[in-house]
Amino acid sequence: MRGVVALSILSALGASAALTESNLEKHADVLALSHSFNPVKDAYWTGYPHHRRTPFAVSPDGKSAYVAYLDASETDVHVQQVDASTFKATGTSVTVSGGKEAGGLVAHNDGFALLTNEAMPSGTTNAPSDETPVPVLYRYTDGEQTWKTWLGGPGVHESDGLAASPDLNGDLVYSEQSGLYGAYFVITDYSGDAAGHFGDSIEYVADNGTLVTIAGASSAWGCSHNTGIAFEAADEPPYASICAEDQGAIWLNTKTQGMMTDGVKLSNENTTNGAGGEAIGGMSGSYSALARFAESSRYLFAWVSRGAIDLTENSWMGDGYTNAQNRTNNRNVAIALLSDKYTKVGAEASSEVGAEDGDSQITWLTNGSNDCSNAHAATFGNSSALVTWEEISDPICDFIAMGCRGSFAGTFYQQVDAQGKAVGSPLKSTDTYVAGDMVTMADGRICWPYVQMDWDLSQPVYALGASNTTSMSFACLSLDGSSGTSVSSSSASVSSAVASSAPTTSVKTKAPAVKTPAVETPSVATTHAEAVSAEATSVEATSVEATSAAPVVQSTSVEAFPVEMTPSPMPPMPDFPFDGEGCAA
Ligand SMILES: *[C@@H]1O[C@H](CO)[C@@H](O)[C@H](O)[C@H]1NC(C)=O
Ligand SMILES: *[C@@H]1O[C@H](CO)[C@@H](O)[C@H](O)[C@H]1NC(C)=O
Ligand SMILES: *[C@@H]1O[C@H](CO)[C@@H](O)[C@H](O)[C@H]1NC(C)=O
Ligand SMILES: *[C@@H]1O[C@H](CO)[C@@H](O)[C@H](O)[C@H]1NC(C)=O
Ligand SMILES: *[C@@H]1O[C@H](CO)[C@@H](O)[C@H](O)[C@H]1NC(C)=O
Ligand SMILES: *[C@@H]1O[C@H](CO)[C@@H](O)[C@H](O)[C@H]1NC(C)=O
C-alpha cells in the first residue's frame, strides 16, 4: 500500500546506515476505538495466533488517514478516520453493517473504499446458501455511502460459476492513473462445475461503482487454494499480483491471473492440500507483501519460506509443475525484486524434475533457526524499502506446510536498497508488531497500526484465551530518525483522478487453464476444534479440471490430508527461555 511520497526529500536521504531505535516512532494506545476489537485471529488448520488485520490507508493529499477493524462480535466493520500525524480519532467512525472481515481499504481525499464480505439480503435470488458472505466493495464520501458493488454472488461472472467468500484473505488497491479499484480475494464457487472448491478471483471496479470485466486482468477463478495474496496497483490493469497456491509454488501472475506455467515461478514451496507454509501470511495476512518503489515500475516482494529441495514431478498438475521437500524446519525471510509488474530480476524458481536445489534463486534476508512469519514490505520512495517479520525461537512445527509455535523473539525491521540488498542488520523490537497495512506517508515515513499487547505465539488461540480491546497503537519508521518532519504533500506526483487510460470493458474470454486440487477445505477456522471437524467432513473425492471456459468435473479420487496432518490436542507447552536471537543475528 503506497501513499504519497515526496521524492526529492527521500532521494536526498538516501540513507545507508542500518535502522536503529531512533528511527522507530511509537504511538502506543493512541487511538480510542468506538467499538471493541479482537486483535487475534486463529490460523487455518493450526489454530495458532495471527494478528487480525486492521487495514490502514492514507489519501493522495496525505491529509486523511483511515483504519478499519472488525467488530469483536465478528459482524460489522468500523472505519475510523485518524489524524495523519497524531493518529488520534477525528470525527465519528463509520459502521459498515454486516461486514465479516476488514478485507482492504483505500483512502481518498474525500472518503474511503472498503473491501469486505457479507451475507446478501434474505430472499436474494441465487444468493449462496446459509448466508455465506459474498465479497463486496463500498465507497463512502464525506461519511455517507456513495455506492456498494457486489464482487461475487448472483450476476457476477455467472457463466464461470457463482462465487462467495467465507474468508476474503485478499486485498484492495486503487490506481489514480486508471481510476480503477482492483480487488484480489479468496472465493469458493457455489454453482457451476467448480462448486464447493476454493480458488481466487480478481475484480475491477470503476470510480462510479461499475464492476468492469477487463480482458487479461479480471479473473473468475485463478490459483488453487490460494493461501496468500500479494497485490499492488499499477498505472493500468492488470495490477501486479502474486499468489501462493497449494500445489508447490508461488506465482507472479500479473500476466496470467492464475497459476499457469507462463506466469513467473517466484518460489518452490513444500505444500499440502490447502496450504503452502503461510508464505504470504496465511489467515489475515495478505497485505503489504508487494510494494512498488514510488512512481517507478519496480516492486519488492517479501515472503517466508522453508526453502525447497528434491524437486519431483507434480503429476496431478502435469508438465512444468513440481513438488518440493522443504530444506528447513523453520521458515526464513525471502525477497524478490521485480523490474516491472511482469518480470522478476534474476532467475525464476527451477521447474526441473530431479533437481536437488529448488531455491537457489532466492535472496534470503535471514538464515537462522528461528521461525520467521508475518513478513511484510513497504517502500520509502524510489530507492529504499522496509521489510519486516516476526520470529519465534525453538520453533515447533507440528504440521506440514503450516505455521509453527514457539517463544516470541521479536519483530524485525530491515532496510533494503533498490537493488534488493540488505542495508545493515535489522532493528529488533519486542513491543511493536505489524498488524495492518504499512503505508508510506506524505512525509516519507512508513506507518502501520498494531495493538499493544503481550504477543504469545507458543500455543493455539483456544489455549491462550482471547481478549478484546478498544485501543489501537501506531508505529512508524523513518530513514532520517527524526519524527515530526513536516513535508508538504503538494510536491508529490499524484495524478488527477481522471482516468488516463480507459479500461477495456469487454468480457474476458481466456479460460482458467489450471486444475484445482482435489481435496477442498474450508479456509476459516474459528476454533481449533471447529477447524478439525470442518476439515474432516469436507474432504471430497472429486476434483475440478478447469481447462476450458466451462470447467469439467472429474471423479478422480485423491488422498485426503496425510495422516501426520491430523491435528491432535496440543501437549502442555514448555516455558521457552527467551534467547533474544534473531534469524539474521
Ligand atoms: C469480545 O467481544 C465479543 C462481542 O461483544 C464477546 O462475545 C466476547 O465474549 C468478548 N471476548 C472477551 C474475552 O471478553
Ligand atoms: C461508469 O464507469 C464505466 C467505466 O468507466 C462506464 O463504462 C460507465 O458508463 C459509467 N457509468 C455511469 C452511469 O456513468
Ligand atoms: C512436503 O515435505 C514433507 C516433509 O516435510 C514431505 O513428506 C511431503 O511429501 C512434501 N510435500 C510434497 C507435496 O512434496
Ligand atoms: C547466513 O549465515 C552466515 C554465517 O553465519 C552469515 O555469514 C551470512 O551473512 C548469513 N546470511 C544472511 C542472509 O543472513
Ligand atoms: C527510480 O529508480 C529507477 C531505477 O533505479 C530509475 O530508473 C528511475 O528514473 C527512478 N525514478 C524516479 C522518479 O526517480
Ligand atoms: C519440513 O517442514 C516440516 C514442517 O512443515 C517439518 O516437520 C520437517 O521437519 C521439515 N523437514 C526438514 C528437513 O527440516
Side-chain angles (χ1 to χ4, degrees), residues 27-39 52-56 66-70 78 80 82 86-88 435-436 448-452 469-475:
H27 300 262
D29 293 324
V30 71
L31 175 62
L33 303 177
S34 53
H35 298 80
S36 209
F37 170 66
N38 176 351
R52 191 185 301 268
R53 175 189 180 185
T54 50
F56 176 56
Y66 297 87
V67 63
Y69 60 100
L70 180 66
H78 309 291
Q80 176 67 60
V82 299
T86 66
F87 302 105
K88 289 187 185 305
W448 63 91
Y450 68 102
V451 169
Q452 184 72 36
T469 184
T470 52
S471 176
M472 203 167 288
S473 305
F474 287 80

Side-chain angles (χ1 to χ4, degrees), residues 534-581:
E535 295 298 330
T537 56
S538 65
V539 175
E540 299 174 3
T542 56
S543 65
V544 175
E545 186 184 17
T547 49
S548 71
V552 180
V553 175
Q554 301 179 325
S555 56
T556 315
S557 149
V558 177
E559 276 178 27
F561 281 99
V563 173
E564 67 269 24
M565 287 295 307
T566 307
S568 50
M570 294 298 157
M573 297 302 129
D575 188 18
F576 296 116
F578 171 69
D579 69 5
E581 267 175 26

Side-chain angles (χ1 to χ4, degrees), residues 364-367:
W364 297 101
L365 286 185
T366 70
N367 64 3

Side-chain angles (χ1 to χ4, degrees), residues 21-98:
E21 194 66 37
S22 70
N23 299 90
L24 182 62
E25 169 195 322
K26 302 169 197 173
H27 300 262
D29 293 324
V30 71
L31 175 62
L33 303 177
S34 53
H35 298 80
S36 209
F37 170 66
N38 176 351
V40 182
K41 169 117 179 142
D42 48 350
Y44 164 75
W45 192 254
T46 65
Y48 295 158
H50 283 189
H51 297 286
R52 191 185 301 268
R53 175 189 180 185
T54 50
F56 176 56
V58 177
S59 63
D61 67 8
K63 292 177 185 159
S64 311
Y66 297 87
V67 63
Y69 60 100
L70 180 66
D71 194 275
S73 68
E74 303 206 344
T75 302
D76 295 351
V77 174
H78 309 291
V79 182
Q80 176 67 60
Q81 187 170 356
V82 299
D83 184 286
S85 50
T86 66
F87 302 105
K88 289 187 185 305
T90 59
T92 52
S93 65
V94 167
T95 296
V96 177
S97 299

Side-chain angles (χ1 to χ4, degrees), residues 144 214 356 395 503 533:
E144 300 294 328
I214 304 171
E356 283 176 28
S533 64

Side-chain angles (χ1 to χ4, degrees), residues 179-414:
L180 290 166
Y181 299 91
Y184 191 1
F185 48 84
V186 172
I187 56 168
T188 179
D189 275 6
Y190 64 93
S191 81
D193 293 327
H197 297 263
F198 279 82
D200 64 33
S201 171
I202 302 176
E203 300 297 331
Y204 287 86
V205 175
D207 275 336
N208 62 11
T210 305
L211 181 69
V212 290
T213 303
I214 304 171
S218 302
S219 166
W221 189 268
C223 296
S224 153
H225 270 239
N226 192 325
T227 56
I229 285 169
F231 198 43
E232 178 63 299
D235 290 348
E236 55 192 40
Y239 293 166
S241 59
I242 293 172
C243 78
E245 35 85 335
D246 70 343
Q247 289 296 305
I250 296 176
W251 299 96
L252 172 62
N253 66 356
T254 310
K255 180 180 158 198
T256 67
Q257 293 91 53
M259 49 190 285
M260 302 76 162
T261 52
D262 57 340
V264 178
K265 195 199 257 190
L266 294 177
S267 186
N268 285 304
E269 297 291 333
N270 176 246
T271 57
T272 189
N273 284 321
E278 298 184 346
I280 318 182
M283 295 293 284
S284 217
S286 295
Y287 62 91
S288 300
L290 179 62
R292 185 177 173 186
F293 283 96
E295 274 61 42
S296 81
S297 63
R298 295 169 302 117
Y299 296 80
L300 180 73
F301 171 52
W303 76 104
V304 293
S305 176
R306 290 184 161 92
I309 54 173
D310 299 339
L311 302 188
T312 53
E313 189 193 356
N314 181 331
S315 52
W316 170 251
M317 292 296 293
D319 234 27
Y321 293 92
T322 50
N323 283 141
Q325 305 282 311
N326 48 303
R327 185 183 290 280
T328 56
N329 176 45
N330 63 308
R331 297 165 297 170
N332 274 292
V333 181
I335 55 171
L337 204 58
L338 311 182
S339 55
D340 61 46
K341 64 185 179 180
Y342 301 111
T343 316
K344 177 186 183 293
V345 174
E348 57 179 297
S350 172
S351 292
E352 188 194 329
V353 172
E356 283 176 28
D357 186 338
D359 56 12
S360 57
Q361 88 290 354
I362 291 184
T363 300
W364 297 101
L365 286 185
T366 70
N367 64 3
S369 57
N370 279 358
D371 182 62
C372 302
S373 62
N374 201 34
H376 296 286
T379 59
F380 286 107
N382 196 30
S383 58
S384 189
L386 172 66
V387 175
T388 177
W389 64 91
E390 288 177 7
E391 295 186 7
I392 55 176
S393 51
D394 302 317
I396 297 168
C397 308
D398 300 291
F399 310 108
I400 301 279
M402 304 274 174
C404 307
R405 61 190 161 94
S407 182
F408 177 65
T411 302
F412 291 78
Y413 301 103
Q414 172 71 60

